Amino acid sequence: MWLRCSFAAALWLGAALPVVAGAADGLQRHQGACSVTAPTGETLFAGDCAITRSHVAQLQAGTHCAYTRYEVLYPGIGLGVALRPETAGCAPQFQDQPADFLAMDKRGQLVTATAAGALFRFDPGPPDPAPPAPLPVLDDFLRGIEACDFSPAYDAFARSLWEAFPAEFEDPDGLRTTPAAGAAILWPTDNPPPLQPVRARKTGSTQHLDVPLRGTYHGLEIIGLQMEAGIGSEIYMDSFLFNAPKDVLEGKFGASVRGKNRLEESRNFDDAPFLPRIEEGAPARLSCYGTE
């Protein structure tokens, strides 16, 4: 086993453990308590170590194994590398060799034992942060926005927003975030984002709504909705803000946008339909403008 050769030489001859290269990215580093105990029970080191944590995968006996990899720099001794399995049925490793024991002790330290009986202890560090919740998929809710052919659910949502934040010519200009009494906004699933209100701004004869809508549409992240209406004129514009540059929106929706505009060029515009366009800016946006 490794202890009988490299480690024995490192300890008894005063040499250092060989340094093992770490993962290139996805690293979490911390200082933590650590110790090394010889097979005889003698404490060879007790103090603080520089510890690096990452996640790696290996093929082991035909099984794809996921591991948490710890690189522990024991001062005066060298670098110990432990692999703690995340996949059931996969064996722990230490210094690229099977480890006889890798578990948590009462002090919250991980303990690795070699076949010869040496013990390596180290603080595993704080837990990984919880992954962000997946964004809601709004494909059905926003179906057809690239041609400004809105779904019934979106139409109802838009109407509920305008009913929640009505504006009249005689109202003072300014910002408000409190909807009208008794108003019920028909939000899609998992919206609105926490603590993010609708912001309604009246400027002259125009009412603006900044709507904190979050989700994905055809795989692209939506980071907001801006709505605008001429007070008393029934002229509207709805702009869907994407976390993507304009050329990505063009590649995804450009054909539908151009097709809808060509179609309406040949029709009677008495109905003044909503027409789509992809606009410059940061963030880029897909807008629908027209009258009801």
Side-chain angles (χ1 to χ4, degrees), residues 2-4 6-8 10-11 17 33-39 42 44-45 49 72-74 77-82 93-95 99 101-105 107 109-123:
W2 171 83
L3 177 70
R4 297 192 181 100
S6 300
F7 183 62
L11 294 181
L17 291 178
C34 59
S35 63
V36 180
T37 304
E42 178 187 1
L44 303 174
F45 175 81
C49 290
V72 186
L73 184 59
Y74 293 93
I77 295 176
L79 188 70
V81 178
Q93 297 179 35
F94 185 71
Q95 300 299 80
F101 181 75
L102 183 64
M104 195 80 72
D105 68 11
R107 293 175 293 179
Q109 294 185 1
L110 280 176
V111 184
T112 297
T114 68
L119 298 178
F120 290 79
R121 290 184 172 88
F122 59 90
D123 175 5

Side-chain angles (χ1 to χ4, degrees), residues 29-268:
R29 298 177 175 85
H30 68 280
Q31 292 285 128
C34 59
S35 63
V36 180
T37 304
T40 60
E42 178 187 1
T43 298
L44 303 174
F45 175 81
D48 286 336
C49 290
I51 302 167
T52 300
R53 186 176 74 226
S54 60
H55 296 277
V56 299
Q58 285 186 3
L59 184 64
Q60 188 180 99
T63 300
H64 290 277
C65 296
Y67 288 97
T68 303
R69 173 189 174 102
Y70 298 93
E71 298 182 5
V72 186
L73 184 59
Y74 293 93
I77 295 176
L79 188 70
V81 178
L83 297 184
R84 187 184 190 189
E86 300 170 1
T87 305
C90 295
Q93 297 179 35
F94 185 71
Q95 300 299 80
D96 295 326
Q97 298 292 329
D100 291 346
F101 181 75
L102 183 64
M104 195 80 72
D105 68 11
K106 293 180 179 179
R107 293 175 293 179
Q109 294 185 1
L110 280 176
V111 184
T112 297
T114 68
L119 298 178
F120 290 79
R121 290 184 172 88
F122 59 90
D123 175 5
D128 291 338
L135 292 170
V137 177
L138 303 178
D139 288 7
D140 288 338
F141 179 74
L142 297 178
R143 185 180 65 250
I145 60 172
E146 61 272 32
C148 299
D149 294 329
F150 301 130
S151 70
Y154 179 78
D155 266 335
F157 172 60
R159 291 181 186 279
S160 74
L161 284 164
W162 290 120
E163 290 170 2
F165 295 94
E168 303 293 341
F169 280 117
E170 59 270 20
D171 292 339
D173 287 358
L175 170 72
R176 64 189 178 103
T177 57
T178 303
I185 300 174
L186 302 179
W187 292 98
T189 302
D190 295 328
N191 274 283
L195 305 178
Q196 296 188 41
V198 176
R199 298 170 60 85
R201 293 177 293 110
K202 178 182 178 292
T203 55
S205 61
T206 305
Q207 175 80 328
H208 308 265
L209 300 182
D210 292 323
V211 183
L213 185 67
R214 294 293 185 274
T216 63
Y217 184 61
H218 288 276
L220 299 183
E221 181 184 358
I222 295 231
I223 56 175
L225 166 65
Q226 292 180 342
M227 307 173 73
E228 184 176 303
I231 299 172
S233 70
E234 296 187 341
I235 298 175
Y236 294 87
M237 182 168 71
D238 294 3
S239 295
F240 304 90
L241 282 60
F242 284 85
N243 186 22
K246 182 183 178 185
D247 59 343
V248 172
L249 266 63
E250 287 279 5
K252 183 75 75 169
F253 305 124
S256 296
V257 168
R258 291 187 292 273
K260 178 62 179 282
N261 280 278
R262 283 196 300 267
L263 176 65
E264 297 304 335
E265 284 175 3
S266 63
R267 292 186 175 182
N268 187 330

